[in-house]
Amino acid sequence: GAVVSQHPSRVICKSGTSVKIECRSLDFQATTMFWYRQFPKQSLMLMATSNEGSKATYEQGVEKDKFLINHASLTLSTLTVTSAHPEDSSFYICSARTASREGLNEQFFGPGTRLTVL
Amino acid sequence: GQNIDQPTEMTATEGAIVQINCTYQTSGFNGLFWYQQHAGEAPTFLSYNVLDGLEEKGRFSSFLSRSKGYSYLLLKELQMKDSASYLCAVSEGDYKLSFGAGTTVTVRA
């Protein structure tokens, strides 16, 4: 249980185009999803917190107009990188939060999406 | 915010034990997680500590001291497949996770 999928796993796009990444919780409902970005040999940096049915909360320094987040249902959140530039090339990872029977507020991570902007 | 520190790299021999330390400073502690991440893959959950003490799960154990802002992950009977990055992450009251930079463990034969 507690499987999170991401699509696509890899995407290459031209500079100036927009790319949409989907994050789905497959066998549980996730009221909260998180979007992270990871540059090579660096740790995960939280970009935004996405709550179903409400606006995402962005971390300081993350442009909300560039990284559009939509959390339309309890199992799906999308991240759209608008007008992508080479510096947006990174590994984007989502996670979904669920409270386990033991009350553990655990986050389950998706497999990540490797974005390369040419 | 948090200040999470862990060593950058560690090397150990197959079959040995390695201890990865993590220190943190946070205003609203809600638990500490350890994740394993292989290159190019997403992190996988290893352990969670919210109370002081040692949590043991097979070859992996994790310890927490809240008063000292300190945790460690202990890997026993190291195997080649344990070569990976190990991430310490602290959860605050709003369930957001803040990650340390990660410790790259290399297991040598």
Side-chain angles (χ1 to χ4, degrees):
Chain A
V3 177
V4 177
S5 70
Q6 273 184 248
H7 179 79
S9 58
R10 288 179 180 272
V11 57
I12 300 173
C13 69
K14 294 181 178 179
S15 185
T17 60
S18 294
V19 174
K20 180 187 282 188
I21 303 170
E22 293 186 348
C23 176
R24 293 181 184 273
S25 56
L26 297 184
D27 51 3
F28 66 100
Q29 292 185 332
T31 54
T32 305
M33 290 185 173
F34 302 88
W35 286 95
Y36 297 85
R37 180 167 54 181
Q38 186 177 34
F39 292 106
K41 297 190 177 181
Q42 295 185 25
S43 193
L44 281 74
M45 296 299 295
L46 179 65
M47 298 175 67
T49 303
S50 169
N51 292 294
E52 185 267 338
S54 63
K55 291 183 178 180
T57 303
Y58 291 80
E59 295 299 300
Q60 192 172 7
V62 178
E63 299 175 57
K64 62 180 181 181
D65 293 330
K66 180 171 181 63
F67 298 99
L68 302 179
I69 292 173
N70 186 353
H71 195 155
S73 75
L74 286 171
T75 60
L76 173 64
S77 176
T78 60
L79 167 68
T80 301
V81 183
T82 62
S83 187
H85 291 284
E87 56 264 32
D88 298 324
S89 298
S90 186
F91 193 46
Y92 290 86
I93 306 175
C94 73
S95 71
R97 173 181 161 259
T98 180
S100 70
R101 288 168 292 181
E102 293 76 27
L104 166 61
N105 291 298
E106 186 174 344
Q107 289 186 29
F108 294 92
F109 287 84
T113 297
R114 175 75 59 191
L115 171 63
T116 302
V117 184
L118 302 177
Chain B
Q2 303 80 25
N3 194 2
I4 302 170
D5 291 315
Q6 52 182 128
T8 305
E9 294 179 328
M10 301 183 77
T11 301
T13 307
E14 197 174 12
I17 298 173
V18 68
Q19 177 174 316
I20 306 170
N21 296 323
C22 172
T23 58
Y24 65 89
Q25 294 175 319
T26 183
S27 54
F29 182 80
N30 193 32
L32 187 144
F33 294 80
W34 283 96
Y35 287 86
Q36 181 191 60
Q37 186 180 28
H38 286 99
E41 299 179 11
T44 55
F45 171 78
L46 290 179
S47 69
Y48 170 72
N49 294 72
V50 66
L51 300 176
D52 289 351
L54 186 68
E55 295 281 341
E56 296 188 79
K57 272 189 178 183
R59 295 190 298 115
F60 295 173
S61 303
S62 58
F63 172 83
L64 175 67
S65 169
R66 289 172 297 171
S67 62
K68 296 182 179 178
Y70 168 71
S71 172
Y72 69 71
L73 178 70
L74 194 69
L75 314 180
K76 305 174 190 175
E77 301 171 17
L78 279 174
Q79 301 175 9
M80 300 300 287
K81 67 178 182 179
D82 297 330
S83 293
S85 181
Y86 291 85
L87 309 175
C88 172
V90 174
S91 175
E92 289 194 306
D94 55 3
Y95 307 117
K96 293 193 299 186
L97 286 181
S98 294
F99 283 84
T103 299
T104 300
V105 172
T106 302
V107 181
R108 293 183 174 167

